[in-house]
């Protein structure tokens, strides 16, 4: 098996026993170069089984808890972050897409607070706000594409490329997932959920950005969102710096490449 981020070899890393959803013993493999980690069991599931696992887990999880993992706080903070980037003309245009939006919680928050419209698309759930059907999605045409908790539910490279394919030539991509310096070889790690098939590192995300033509990124720890740009980083840095001065602190963490905020 090869890493679908950098193509280097994957080596066996650790296993975890799941006593639910017929998963059984799951083996995780890590990339020797970029640390990207993936479950060999999940990538071998048929599309039908994989889809069903996601539907079952999300249905059960959403019924159990109203606000899993402080999602509402995160959507609120993401709305502020995106509003600021639009207000200061960093995010331009108005054709926005939330890919894998679920019910559309982020889009609803952004609209209710700031009257900013983000179209919603989800393979498994019908969004309750601004829904788009798969046939309505247009590649290379969105000024801003966001995804929340999607990158850890991926079993093939094509899905990541599909998400990015909707961003237009000058567009911006925003990602919320958990990213660390390295993935712990620990079956008790809290992020090893039945529906989490892969895990990204600072290095693997940096490589992915480069492969897709993004030069720099900003991160805010309350929003837990990385926003990636294709601009000249020098020009862009002074813009972000000016905004941070107005806010009064380093609200936007900036880096050429991927903001490696979480060092483990
Ligand atoms: Zn790799």
């Amino acid at each position: 098996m090869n890493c679908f981020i950098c193509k280097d070899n994957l080596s066996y890393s650790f296993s975890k026993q799941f006593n639910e959803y017929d998963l059984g013993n799951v083996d995780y493999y890590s990339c020797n170069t970029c640390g990207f980690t993936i479950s060999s069991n999940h990538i071998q599931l048929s599309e039908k089984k994989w889809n069903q696992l996601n539907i079952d887990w999300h249905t059960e999880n959403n019924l159990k808890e109203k606000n899993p993992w402080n999602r509402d706080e995160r959507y609120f903070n993401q709305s502020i972050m995106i509003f600021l980037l639009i207000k200061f003309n960093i995010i331009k245009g108005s054709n926005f897409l939330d890919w894998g939006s679920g019910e559309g919680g982020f889009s609803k928050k952004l609209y209710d607070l700031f009257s900013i419209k983000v179209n919603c698309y989800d393979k498994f759930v019908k969004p309750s706000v601004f829904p788009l059907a798969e046939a309505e999605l247009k590649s290379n045409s969105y000024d801003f594409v966001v995804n929340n908790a999607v990158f850890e539910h991926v079993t093939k490279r094509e899905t990541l490329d599909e998400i990015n394919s909707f961003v237009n030539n000058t567009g911006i991509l925003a990602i919320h997932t958990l990213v660390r310096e390295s993935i712990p070889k620990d079956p008790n790690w809290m992020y090893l959920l039945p529906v989490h098939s892969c895990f990204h590192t600072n290095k693997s995300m940096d490589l992915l950005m480069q492969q897709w033509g993004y030069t720099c990124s900003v991160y805010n720890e309350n929003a837990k969102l990385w926003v990636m740009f294709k601009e000249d980083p020098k020009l862009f840095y002074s813009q972000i710096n000016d905004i941070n001065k107005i806010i009064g602190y380093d609200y936007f963490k900036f880096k050429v490449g991927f903001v490696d905020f979480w060092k483990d």
Side-chain angles (χ1 to χ4, degrees):
M1 264 196 309
N2 289 88
C3 173
F4 64 60
I5 305 294
C6 77
K7 309 269 188 277
D8 196 6
N9 291 328
L10 294 170
S11 304
Y12 170 76
S13 186
F14 64 98
S15 303
K16 180 181 174 78
Q17 177 69 29
F18 287 93
N19 299 317
E20 49 198 339
Y21 307 109
D22 291 332
L23 275 172
N25 191 61
V26 171
D27 295 329
Y28 298 90
Y29 285 75
S30 295
C31 174
N32 301 328
T33 299
C34 76
F36 174 75
T37 297
I38 191 156
S39 148
S40 62
N41 301 61
H42 284 76
I43 61 174
Q44 284 162 23
L45 288 175
S46 67
E47 188 149 350
K48 198 179 160 203
K49 278 195 171 163
W50 171 236
N51 290 351
Q52 196 57 48
L53 171 62
N54 279 279
I55 291 164
D56 291 348
W57 192 83
H58 283 109
T59 306
E60 192 176 311
N61 189 64
N62 289 349
L63 288 176
K64 245 192 266 175
E65 212 183 330
K66 237 183 119 195
N67 180 22
W69 296 284
N70 294 326
R71 198 172 53 194
D72 290 333
E73 288 88 332
R74 177 158 46 82
Y75 288 162
F76 171 72
N77 283 299
Q78 288 176 354
S79 297
I80 293 171
M81 185 183 184
I82 298 308
F83 164 76
L84 288 169
L85 291 171
I86 293 168
K87 177 180 169 57
F88 289 103
N89 212 25
I90 303 278
I91 295 178
K92 302 177 183 81
S94 58
N95 200 13
F96 301 161
L97 173 68
D98 184 345
W99 196 100
S101 63
E103 286 162 6
F106 165 69
S107 175
K108 185 170 184 341
K109 200 77 89 193
L110 194 60
Y111 191 78
D112 288 350
L113 288 168
F114 301 113
S115 304
I116 295 162
K117 180 185 167 186
V118 176
N119 297 294
C120 293
Y121 167 74
D122 197 284
K123 270 187 174 62
F124 306 113
V125 181
K126 173 117 167 47
S128 61
V129 286
F130 310 123
L132 283 185
E134 188 156 6
E136 295 176 285
L137 292 174
K138 293 189 187 85
S139 68
N140 194 31
S141 67
Y142 296 91
D143 304 304
F144 171 67
V145 174
V146 62
N147 59 84
N148 256 296
V150 170
F151 267 45
E152 67 275 23
H153 296 258
V154 165
T155 55
K156 50 185 192 283
R157 170 65 189 239
E158 288 76 10
T159 308
L160 298 177
D161 290 336
E162 185 189 340
I163 297 168
N164 183 54
S165 75
F166 295 111
V167 182
N168 69 25
N169 291 342
T170 54
I172 285 163
L173 178 66
I175 296 166
H176 163 79
T177 185
L178 187 151
V179 183
R180 293 172 51 115
E181 187 63 23
S182 61
I183 303 306
K185 297 180 179 189
D186 174 7
N188 297 315
W189 183 38
M190 58 85 190
Y191 210 53
L192 297 176
L193 299 179
V195 281
H196 287 181
S197 50
C198 66
F199 307 94
H200 302 264
T201 65
N202 290 321
K203 185 156 189 200
S204 73
M205 290 299 289
D206 196 59
L207 289 168
L208 198 56
M209 272 184 72
Q210 284 177 35
Q211 291 166 9
W212 285 341
Y214 297 94
T215 55
C216 55
S217 60
V218 295
Y219 182 74
N220 175 268
E221 64 183 294
N222 297 317
K224 295 189 166 55
L225 191 70
W226 282 270
V227 185
M228 303 169 175
F229 307 89
K230 296 171 180 169
E231 315 274 330
D232 174 358
K234 267 193 208 140
L235 200 81
F236 193 69
Y237 175 68
S238 78
Q239 282 180 288
I240 289 293
N241 211 20
D242 288 345
I243 302 170
N244 278 341
K245 274 188 197 153
I246 294 169
I247 295 171
Y249 72 101
D250 278 351
Y251 175 89
F252 289 107
K253 306 289 185 285
F254 171 88
K255 195 169 175 187
V256 176
F258 185 76
V259 180
D260 50 349
F261 183 83
W262 302 99
K263 313 275 193 187
D264 296 352

